[in-house]
Amino acid sequence: MVIQEAGNTEQALEHLDTYQHQICDKVTLLGTRAKFYMQIQSKGPENEENEKLRSKAADIYRGLLKRNPENHEYYTLLAEAMGIQSEKEHLAMYDEYRKLFPKAQAPQRLPMNVAHGKNPKKINYSNMVSFCIISI
């Protein structure tokens, strides 16, 4: 982390790769690796190499979501790694994870953070009713 804080993310990633077998917290290891990929790709121009780094980061976040589909931050970081910016793309991503993890609350609730406008059909409001019942 000191190497990364000094501004040399590439060297920090190499260090992480070298000593990964000694790191016990694999979830943090994966999250840090994905964060480094995103930091490295954001420094350079848009090219094929940076697109590969974004793809690697997205794959890591997908794996982390499989481990913990309730982590809100993973959804945000996955959307960033995938380059999702529009409301429609966000809602499609959440819909995919809602189908993948039907019992998880996060992919059911998080679309409410991104849905704008007057079209109530954008969100599955049946999920909102279950939130109201649970919280009462």
Side-chain angles (χ1 to χ4, degrees):
M1 293 305 282
V2 175
I3 300 169
Q4 188 264 334
E5 289 173 3
N8 195 346
T9 310
E10 293 89 355
Q11 188 178 355
L13 182 60
E14 289 175 21
H15 183 79
L16 198 65
D17 290 338
T18 302
Y19 294 100
Q20 69 181 347
H21 62 281
Q22 295 177 357
I23 299 171
C24 295
D25 188 354
K26 299 302 181 188
V27 173
T28 302
L29 173 73
L30 290 170
T32 304
R33 178 176 284 129
K35 182 176 91 171
F36 287 170
Y37 286 151
M38 291 301 291
Q39 286 176 352
I40 292 168
Q41 72 83 31
S42 68
K43 292 179 183 178
E46 284 297 319
N47 60 26
E48 191 175 315
E49 184 64 32
N50 284 341
E51 192 58 39
K52 286 180 184 177
L53 291 174
R54 285 179 80 118
S55 178
K56 286 181 181 180
D59 289 343
I60 290 171
Y61 289 127
R62 284 185 192 99
L64 289 171
L65 278 169
K66 286 180 183 174
R67 286 179 177 226
N68 183 4
E70 296 294 345
N71 190 315
H72 294 208
E73 185 180 15
Y74 293 159
Y75 290 98
T76 304
L77 295 170
L78 175 61
E80 183 183 336
M82 292 174 61
I84 293 177
Q85 296 178 347
S86 74
E87 174 184 346
K88 185 177 179 180
E89 292 172 321
H90 271 96
L91 293 176
M93 180 188 77
Y94 289 127
D95 190 47
E96 174 188 341
Y97 279 97
R98 189 172 32 248
K99 290 174 185 171
L100 207 68
F101 306 113
K103 293 184 180 183
Q105 296 293 314
Q108 295 177 22
R109 196 205 67 70
L110 288 174
M112 294 179 219
N113 293 349
V114 297
H116 301 287
K118 298 180 181 178
N119 187 358
K121 294 180 181 177
K122 291 180 181 175
I123 301 176
N124 182 356
Y125 280 99
S126 64
N127 296 325
M128 189 186 299
V129 172
S130 67
F131 282 116
C132 295
I133 292 171
I134 291 170
S135 64
I136 294 176

